[in-house]
C-alpha cells in the first residue's frame, strides 16, 4: 500500500486535517507547526489531537510530518535568529510528543557567509541542546537544493551533522526530489546510483520520508522551484520508478507541488495508479 499525502493547512485543527486527508485519498499528510513565514503558533488542543488519533486508527493514517517554519535557521550569523530557531524547535518537539508516530522536518539552514563547516557545527550544537534520548519524535534533516549559503546541499554535509549529533538515533533524512535534482543528483538517469551514494554516505536506514516534487529547472540549477508531478524536468516516469522502488516504496511520500486540494487529489490518484495501490 502506497503511503502518500500532501501538505495540508493546520488552520482548522488536527482533526480537520485528518478528515481532509481521507477526502482526497491520502493516508498521511504534512503540516506546518506554526506560521511558515513567522513565529506565531496556535494552541494545540488535547481533544482535537485525540479525535485525530481516533480517525488515524479508523482510516489507517500514519506518519504525520510536522514541518518547521521557513524562518527557522539554526546556523544563522545573527545570534537572535539562532535563539529563535532553538526555542521554536524545542517547543515544537515538546508538543509533538503528544502525536505518536509523528516526525519533524526542518531545513538545516543558511550559514550566511560563515562557511559550511561553521554552519554544520551550529546546527549540530542546536540538536545536541534539544534532542533527548527519551523522545519519540524523529527529527529529519531535509536535502537542500543549494541556493545561496544553504547547508545540506550534499549528502556529505547531512552525514557530518548526524555524526556530530549525540542523539543521532533521533535524527533522519527527508529526501526532496526537486531539491536533490536541482542540487545536482541525477535521479532521472541515475536513480539507482544516487540511492547507492546515499546509502554509502548516510545510510538508507536514515532515510525516513520523501518529498515528491517535480522541478521547473534542470539538474544542478540550485534554484528550488517545484513543479507538479510529471509537468517538470524530472518527469512522470521517474516518479513511477520512485514509488515502486524496492528501497523506497515502504516510505511515506509527501507532495509539496504547487496545487490546491483538487490538484493534490488528482496527483495522489495518479501515483496510486502507477504502483497499483
Amino acid at each position: 500500500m502506497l503511503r502518500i499525502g500532501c501538505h495540508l493547512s493546520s488552520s482548522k485543527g488536527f482533526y480537520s486535517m485528518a478528515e481532509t486527508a481521507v477526502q482526497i485519498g491520502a493516508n498521511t499528510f504534512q503540516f506546518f507547526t506554526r506560521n511558515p513565514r513567522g513565529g506565531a503558533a496556535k494552541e494545540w488542543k488535547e481533544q482535537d489531537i485525540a479525535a485525530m488519533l481516533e480517525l488515524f486508527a479508523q482510516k489507517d493514517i500514519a506518519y504525520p510530518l510536522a514541518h518547521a517554519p521557513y524562518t527557522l535557521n539554526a546556523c544563522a550569523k545573527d545570534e537572535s535568529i539562532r535563539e529563535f530557531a532553538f526555542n521554536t524547535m524545542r517547543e515544537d518537539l515538546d508538543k509533538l510528543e503528544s502525536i505518536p508516530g509523528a516526525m519533524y522536518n526542518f531545513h538545516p539552514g543558511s550559514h550566511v557567509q560563515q562557511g559550511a563547516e561553521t554552519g554544520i557545527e551550529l546546527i549540530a550544537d542546536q540538536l545536541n541542546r534539544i534532542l533527548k534520548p527519551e523522545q519519540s519524535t524523529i527529527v529529519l534533516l531535509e536535502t537542500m537544493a543549494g541556493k545561496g549559503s544553504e547547508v545540506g546541499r550534499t549528502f556529505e554535509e547531512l552525514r557530518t551533522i548526524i555524526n556530530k549529533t549525540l542523539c543521532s538515533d533521533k535524527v533522519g533524512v527527508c529526501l526532496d526530489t526537486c531539491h536533490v535534482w536541482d542540487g545536482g543528483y541525477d535521479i532521472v538517469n541515475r536513480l539507482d546510483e544516487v540511492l547507492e551514494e546515499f546509502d554509502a554516505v548516510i545510510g538508507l536506514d536514515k532515510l525516513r520520508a520523501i518529498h515528491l516534487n517535480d522541478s521547473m529547472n534542470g539538474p544542478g540549477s540550485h534554484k528550488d522551484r517545484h513543479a507538479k508531478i510529471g509537468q517538470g524536468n524530472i518527469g512522470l516516469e521517474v516518479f513511477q520508478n520512485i514509488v515502486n522502488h524496492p528501497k523506497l516504496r515502504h516510505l511515506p511520500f509527501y507532495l509539496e507541488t504547487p496545487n490546491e486540494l483538487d490538484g493534490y487529489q488528482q496527483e495522489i490518484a495518479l501515483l496510486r495508479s502507477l504502483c497499483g495501490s
Side-chain angles (χ1 to χ4, degrees), residues 28-80:
T28 190
F29 59 86
Q30 177 177 269
F31 65 97
F32 279 116
T33 57
R34 58 188 66 220
N35 186 327
R37 300 292 180 184
K42 289 187 176 181
E43 179 186 1
W44 292 16
K45 298 179 180 179
E46 291 183 12
Q47 186 176 0
D48 183 31
I49 292 174
M52 176 189 71
L53 295 176
E54 185 175 344
L55 190 57
F56 277 11
Q58 294 172 1
K59 300 295 183 180
D60 187 28
I61 302 173
Y63 305 114
L65 181 59
H67 199 303
Y70 295 131
T71 46
L72 191 154
N73 185 358
C75 61
K77 194 171 185 178
D78 188 319
E79 186 177 354
S80 66

Side-chain angles (χ1 to χ4, degrees), residues 119-172:
I120 288 167
E121 291 290 343
L122 290 170
I123 296 163
D125 176 68
Q126 173 168 303
L127 291 172
N128 285 331
R129 289 190 294 141
I130 293 175
L131 301 187
K132 304 172 184 177
E134 65 272 18
Q135 75 180 56
S136 63
T137 305
I138 301 297
V139 174
L140 305 184
L141 298 159
E142 185 170 339
T143 57
M144 302 308 295
K147 293 185 304 177
S149 61
E150 283 180 338
V151 177
R153 65 182 66 202
T154 67
F155 298 158
E156 286 78 8
E157 288 186 355
L158 295 177
R159 177 75 256 181
T160 304
I161 295 170
I162 295 170
N163 285 346
K164 291 178 177 292
T165 303
L166 298 177
C167 292
S168 60
D169 60 316
K170 305 299 181 184
V171 181

Side-chain angles (χ1 to χ4, degrees), residues 22 25 58 64 77 79-80 91 146 174 182 193 195 204 261 273:
V22 172
Q58 294 172 1
K77 194 171 185 178
E79 186 177 354
S80 66
E91 180 181 325
C174 176
D182 284 18
E193 289 91 338
L195 293 178
L204 282 170
L261 283 177
S273 73

Side-chain angles (χ1 to χ4, degrees), residues 17 19 24 43 62 75 137 158-159 161 199 237 244 272:
M17 282 193 289
E19 269 194 322
I24 63 174
E43 179 186 1
C75 61
T137 305
L158 295 177
R159 177 75 256 181
I161 295 170
D199 194 28
E237 182 179 352
N244 286 289
R272 288 199 186 284

Side-chain angles (χ1 to χ4, degrees), residues 179-223:
H179 293 179
V180 294
W181 169 254
D182 284 18
Y185 291 96
D186 187 0
I187 59 173
V188 172
N189 301 298
R190 299 178 57 253
L191 177 60
D192 285 334
E193 289 91 338
V194 171
L195 293 178
E196 288 170 5
E197 184 176 351
F198 185 100
D199 194 28
V201 176
I202 299 176
L204 282 170
D205 61 309
K206 286 293 185 183
L207 183 56
R208 304 297 293 269
I210 294 181
H211 282 162
L212 287 178
N213 301 301
D214 213 323
S215 173
M216 295 177 65
N217 300 293
S221 63
H222 304 295
K223 289 185 178 179

